[in-house]
Amino acid sequence: MSLKKAIFIIICVLLIDQISKIYIKTHFELDETVPVFSWFKIVFVENEGMAWGTKLSDVFSFISDKSAKLILTLFRIVAVTAIGFWLVDVIKKEKTKLLIFAIALIFSGALGNIIDSVFYGVLFNDSVMEVATFLPEDGGYANVFHGNVVDMLHFPLWSGVLPEWIPFLGGKYISFFDPVFNVADMAISTGIGILIVFNKRAFKDTIKTDTIFQESHNNPV
């Protein structure tokens, strides 16, 4: 796969991700819910931290919420930069299309969430009890690098009380699937899933090259 095709994939994911987020941000109040099907809802939430809403300040109590948010955003920028270099490298080395596609998905998803973290705080005002305005006159709800990631996709596929015979969880009320996520999260998860499930196929050229190198090293001419 060429660099142009990879960039096209990245742009498509970013456009879908950002258009959906901006629409939700400018049309929904925080925590507003719109049922689409019994198993699918649009729910506007904002994620201040990492996956599942976990904050660095929850893990390290000596770090303030503001500092934790800045550290997380900077880490994301470093991570997406590394992923970008990896993507360019595998394209130059003409690795498998599946590997390039997966990395492009991961890169676009990570970049989509970084845009929220870096810019949304200054581009929008607060969404609590109101619909946010784009470029508000009174300024945004946070400083640059301190924005929240917009999530909206919720799939409550099943909920109920588990049978008593199930170890540890028997008799407890369970709701699956609770997390609310966005298009960028889907891209990241899909890319990682491809690398895990189709690992041998994705890294086929890499494995072949490493084997040839090892054989030539062990059997010098």
Side-chain angles (χ1 to χ4, degrees):
M1 183 183 294
S2 66
L3 180 60
K4 288 183 179 180
K5 291 182 179 179
I7 291 175
F8 177 76
I9 293 171
I10 292 168
I11 291 175
C12 286
V13 173
L14 282 177
L15 283 176
I16 297 172
D17 177 63
Q18 289 302 307
I19 289 172
S20 62
K21 287 175 177 175
I22 292 172
Y23 178 84
I24 292 296
K25 187 68 178 173
T26 56
H27 289 78
F28 283 62
E29 295 180 6
L30 194 62
D31 297 325
E32 184 176 348
T33 302
V34 176
V36 180
F37 302 106
S38 60
W39 47 268
F40 172 50
K41 299 177 181 179
I42 302 294
V43 183
F44 175 28
V45 299
E46 290 186 315
N47 186 353
E48 300 179 8
M50 302 176 287
W52 321 115
T54 305
K55 301 178 184 178
L56 281 177
S57 53
D58 295 334
V59 181
F60 303 101
S61 58
F62 58 87
I63 301 178
S64 66
D65 287 347
K66 190 173 183 179
S67 298
K69 181 62 181 177
L70 179 60
I71 292 171
L72 177 60
T73 301
L74 293 176
F75 172 78
R76 282 172 169 165
I77 292 173
V78 172
V80 79
T81 301
I83 296 170
F85 279 114
W86 183 25
L87 177 60
V88 173
D89 182 63
V90 296
I91 292 174
K92 286 183 177 179
K93 293 179 179 178
E94 299 182 349
K95 301 300 181 180
T96 62
K97 292 181 179 179
L98 191 61
L99 176 60
I100 296 172
F101 178 68
I103 299 174
L105 286 179
I106 296 170
F107 177 83
S108 60
L111 185 57
N113 284 336
I114 284 176
I115 292 173
D116 297 30
S117 298
V118 174
F119 299 112
Y120 273 32
V122 296
L123 293 178
F124 301 97
N125 57 353
D126 205 352
S127 297
V128 179
M129 302 298 292
E130 65 178 358
V131 174
T133 303
F134 181 66
L135 296 177
E137 295 181 0
D138 298 334
Y141 66 85
N143 297 325
V144 66
F145 293 108
H146 290 83
N148 298 326
V149 175
V150 174
D151 294 325
M152 79 292 291
L153 303 176
H154 184 213
F155 290 85
L157 300 178
W158 181 86
S159 62
V161 178
L162 295 177
E164 294 287 347
W165 55 265
I166 297 179
F168 305 109
L169 298 177
K172 294 184 179 180
Y173 177 83
I174 297 293
S175 178
F176 181 86
F177 177 73
D178 270 347
V180 182
F181 51 96
N182 55 45
V183 174
D185 296 331
M186 290 178 60
I188 295 171
S189 299
T190 302
I192 294 175
I194 289 173
L195 295 182
I196 294 174
V197 177
F198 302 102
N199 182 273
K200 290 184 178 180
R201 181 179 172 187
F203 291 96
K204 180 174 61 177
D205 289 356
T206 303
I207 295 172
K208 183 178 179 181
T209 302
D210 292 343
T211 302
I212 293 173
F213 174 79
Q214 186 176 3
E215 287 178 353
S216 62
H217 180 73
N218 294 334
N219 301 291
V221 178

